[in-house]
Amino acid sequence: MTHWWRHAAIYQIYVRSFADGDGDGTGDLAGVRNRLPYLRELGVDALWFTPWYTSPMADGGYDVADYRDIDPLFGTLAEAERLVEEAHTHGLRVLVDLVPNHCSDQHHWFQEALAAGPGSAARERFWFLPGRGESGELPPNDWHSYFGGSAWTRITEADGTPGPWYLHMFAPQQPDLNWEHPEVRAEFEDILHFWLRRGVDGFRIDVAHGLAKKPGLPDVGPDPDPTDLPYQDHDDVHDIYRSWRKILDGYPGDRIFVGEVWLPSAEQFARYLRPDELHSAFNFDFLCSSWEPAALRDVVDSTLAAHGPVGAPPTWVLSNHDTIRHVTRYGRADTSFDMGDKRLGDPSDLTLGRRRARAAALLTMALPGGVYIYQGDELGLPEVQDLPDAVLQDPTFLRSGGADRGRDGCRIPLPWQPGGAALGFSPDAATAAPWLPQPADWAPLSVAEQTADPDSFLTLYRTALALRSARLTALPETLTWVDTPPDTLCFDRAGGFRCLVNATDTPVPLPPDATVLLSSAPLEESAEGRVLPADSTVWLDMN
Ligand code: NOJ
């Protein structure tokens, strides 16, 4: 029997925006518990919860103040325990988000470090360094925060004198932990045990490439080699994952680590997936690829080539809570994605984007390996690009001085009903509006409307996931490319299964004897027989 995670469909729950159980306008664990039947019926194997821990929410929960408790906005620890049990009853595994690169500035370790004063042991758990310049007025090195601006913030000591600087690769409210410190390592090993004992099936590791820094924290310099940056992918990080893997393997069940690994080279990426490290990692090369057959084929090939030698299953992901939703991306003139330049506001033809997103869903689900679905992908939700400044909450908006409008547009609360409080996101007795406003025209995208529609996005996802389980997940993790007209992608899996993607703007003929299993758009008839219309995918049985 193959391991479940080699071919799993994993659904990402951005807790704040999934379902609001208590009516305060923010999604919570009660909301998720109510919707477990929906997730089971969708046909996914596992749920990944974005951070649900105690947090001041400076970065939507990726600023953790207590790794062993649940934020009151979301519920209680007892409720999380019940949720894990109930998910298991529904046949759904549970992955929690581990945020080890940094904690919140409200975490008791950081508060202690601030209070303990210069040279104290409490400061050793972080990166406190003296500034450069005559009176330490310049940051210790030239590193930039991923959210914009310097990666350093200077503190003021209790007596009012200017103190050292501390490192934060993200927002100032997210101080980086010093992974050279044995207490940091011991603490996270204990956190792993804490959640493993509560029955979770694994962890998604935030910024998995970033924990270890190059000793001495040297400057990046003016013309850096992107494969050799001092703040990421330092070799010591692999020791951390080897020790974590031993802990995980000591628990019964088939539990896993999934890494958030953003690195420029496939060789660097694959090292995280060696047999004694992480089980899998998100395939961001695929997410960033344009909707062009040659680019897609290249990324499929390079993915398979990188994963093969380390024996890890590839994964396929189209969107997450940090990216522009792919319905919107695929409707733009440039369909690629660049985290550093999201081009929010670029015009998008959403009819075209939806069509391609449906085709892309069938492509990802036909490929060997695992697939990630970000909540709302199954509803075909677009990016919301016109949120007013006043409602934006993502720190990237403020840190970039508004140049980057941030990631709020892919985090809009889900529409469950065509009417009611926040389109069914909140209960009818809700006391507050949703934490981000939903567009006025989202009623037809709601779960209830789409459930009733055989041609909806949701029906396509449900049907595809069921077929994938029945036909594909037990197959060898290989594919064979089939020669087809330029601008189409065609591959065979074992058992006579064929996937044909037409990314051109004209129809392509179908093999005459094939049986159609599922198509992302209605097939058309021509004088030569059945054809697959533009920007569509079909699954065929060639037996
Ligand atoms: C990656 C997470 O996906 C993102 O949402 C977060 O802002 C950063 N890591 C920092 O934790």
Side-chain angles (χ1 to χ4, degrees):
M1 201 193 71
T2 60
H3 297 287
W4 69 273
W5 45 268
R6 297 197 70 91
H7 49 73
I10 301 183
Y11 187 91
Q12 179 189 354
I13 296 193
Y14 191 71
V15 182
R16 286 204 286 180
S17 302
F18 184 70
D20 168 19
D22 65 3
D24 67 355
T26 296
D28 49 34
L29 303 192
V32 179
R33 290 174 65 201
N34 294 338
R35 301 294 181 179
L36 286 172
Y38 167 77
L39 296 163
R40 186 197 55 221
E41 281 154 30
L42 181 60
V44 293
D45 303 295
L47 310 175
W48 147 36
F49 290 92
T50 53
W52 54 17
Y53 318 105
T54 316
S55 165
M57 303 286 160
D59 181 22
Y62 283 95
D63 47 322
V64 180
D66 183 351
Y67 291 87
R68 296 181 185 80
D69 207 351
I70 302 294
D71 194 90
L73 256 185
F74 299 143
T76 62
L77 181 59
E79 206 167 7
E81 290 169 352
R82 277 202 296 280
L83 172 52
V84 173
E85 276 170 29
E86 287 168 3
H88 287 163
T89 310
H90 284 281
L92 298 163
R93 300 186 196 245
V94 172
L95 308 183
V96 293
D97 214 314
L98 191 69
V99 190
N101 179 67
H102 45 266
C103 59
S104 160
D105 61 351
Q106 300 307 308
H107 189 283
H108 73 96
W109 271 5
F110 194 72
Q111 288 300 314
E112 257 169 65
L114 291 181
S120 61
R123 288 197 179 170
E124 298 294 310
R125 298 181 186 123
F126 298 91
W127 294 108
F128 280 91
L129 289 182
R132 291 176 177 174
E134 248 164 62
S135 51
E137 73 282 8
L138 300 172
N141 70 23
D142 64 356
W143 297 4
H144 284 281
S145 151
Y146 293 108
F147 286 169
S150 169
W152 296 90
T153 290
R154 191 172 196 184
I155 64 160
T156 303
E157 299 291 6
D159 63 3
T161 55
W165 300 67
Y166 69 90
L167 177 68
H168 52 85
M169 290 308 299
F170 294 88
Q173 297 92 333
Q174 295 166 294
D176 274 49
L177 288 157
N178 172 5
W179 275 87
E180 291 173 15
H181 199 297
E183 282 174 28
V184 172
R185 291 184 73 130
E187 172 69 356
F188 275 87
E189 295 188 358
D190 193 67
I191 293 166
L192 290 178
H193 284 294
F194 181 89
W195 288 103
L196 288 167
R197 281 198 302 270
R198 278 164 181 75
V200 305
D201 301 283
F203 301 86
R204 176 261 187 193
I205 303 168
D206 191 57
V207 204
H209 51 286
L211 278 50
K213 306 326 191 240
K214 200 171 205 163
L217 312 194
D219 278 340
V220 169
D223 189 16
D225 169 359
T227 64
D228 184 21
L229 295 170
Y231 50 78
Q232 64 183 37
D233 194 40
H234 187 260
D235 272 352
D236 290 350
V237 78
H238 297 289
D239 288 343
I240 301 170
Y241 299 135
R242 286 193 195 101
S243 68
W244 288 8
R245 181 66 182 257
K246 287 195 192 106
I247 292 174
L248 196 83
D249 288 348
Y251 281 79
D254 205 1
R255 310 195 197 199
I256 64 161
F257 289 120
V258 183
E260 188 210 19
V261 182
W262 284 94
L263 285 172
S265 91
E267 293 70 36
Q268 289 175 291
F269 176 89
R271 271 187 243 135
Y272 291 71
L273 303 180
R274 288 177 290 197
D276 57 349
E277 297 194 38
L278 310 182
H279 298 74
S280 73
F282 300 100
N283 183 354
F284 293 121
D285 287 349
F286 186 79
L287 187 153
C288 293
S289 170
S290 57
W291 179 251
E292 286 172 290
L296 290 167
R297 181 163 170 162
D298 276 357
V299 76
V300 170
D301 281 338
S302 62
T303 299
L304 298 178
H307 287 72
V310 284
T315 65
W316 311 101
V317 53
L318 291 165
S319 284
N320 68 28
H321 65 292
D322 295 328
T323 66
I324 301 286
R325 283 197 179 268
H326 58 280
V327 161
T328 298
R329 277 180 1 237
Y330 288 160
R332 291 172 168 177
D334 176 352
T335 49
S336 66
F337 177 69
D338 176 352
M339 186 65 107
D341 179 14
K342 302 195 189 75
R343 296 179 278 116
L344 263 171
D346 264 19
S348 175
D349 173 348
L350 292 185
T351 307
L352 180 63
R354 286 211 169 88
R355 197 177 168 81
R356 289 176 171 167
R358 290 171 65 96
L362 292 200
L363 167 61
T364 56
M365 289 193 223
L367 288 165
V371 64
Y372 283 86
I373 298 166
Y374 174 43
Q375 65 181 41
D377 285 358
E378 80 279 23
L379 304 177
L381 297 186
E383 185 79 10
V384 176
Q385 306 201 71
D386 57 358
L387 288 169
D389 289 6
V391 305
L392 295 180
Q393 306 215 5
D394 185 357
T396 58
F397 173 63
L398 288 178
R399 296 275 303 166
S400 67
D404 180 341
R405 292 192 61 76
R407 301 163 294 177
D408 292 308
C410 64
R411 300 173 174 180
I412 305 297
L414 290 194
W416 289 92
Q417 300 287 338
L423 299 175
F425 168 71
S426 295
D428 284 342
T431 53
W435 72 279
L436 285 173
Q438 297 154 314
D441 59 356
W442 269 21
L445 298 178
S446 67
V447 170
E449 291 285 299
Q450 295 206 37
T451 299
D453 176 1
D455 297 326
S456 70
F457 243 92
L458 181 55
T459 304
L460 180 75
Y461 264 77
R462 284 183 173 149
T463 314
L465 284 163
L467 253 172
R468 180 177 181 271
S469 295
R471 284 286 304 240
L472 298 176
T473 50
L475 298 182
E477 290 168 21
T478 53
L479 61 75
T480 311
W481 291 110
V482 180
D483 270 346
T484 44
D487 285 352
T488 58
L489 285 181
C490 187
F491 57 87
D492 284 343
R493 302 280 311 271
F497 178 91
R498 176 170 291 184
C499 176
L500 172 63
V501 185
N502 176 11
T504 71
D505 51 12
T506 49
V508 297
L510 289 191
D513 301 327
T515 307
V516 173
L517 297 169
L518 183 64
S519 65
S520 66
L523 300 175
E524 292 165 4
E525 286 295 330
S526 76
E528 289 80 44
R530 287 172 311 175
V531 292
L532 178 66
D535 288 312
S536 321
T537 297
V538 65
W539 289 358
L540 301 169
D541 187 337
M542 302 302 290
N543 289 312

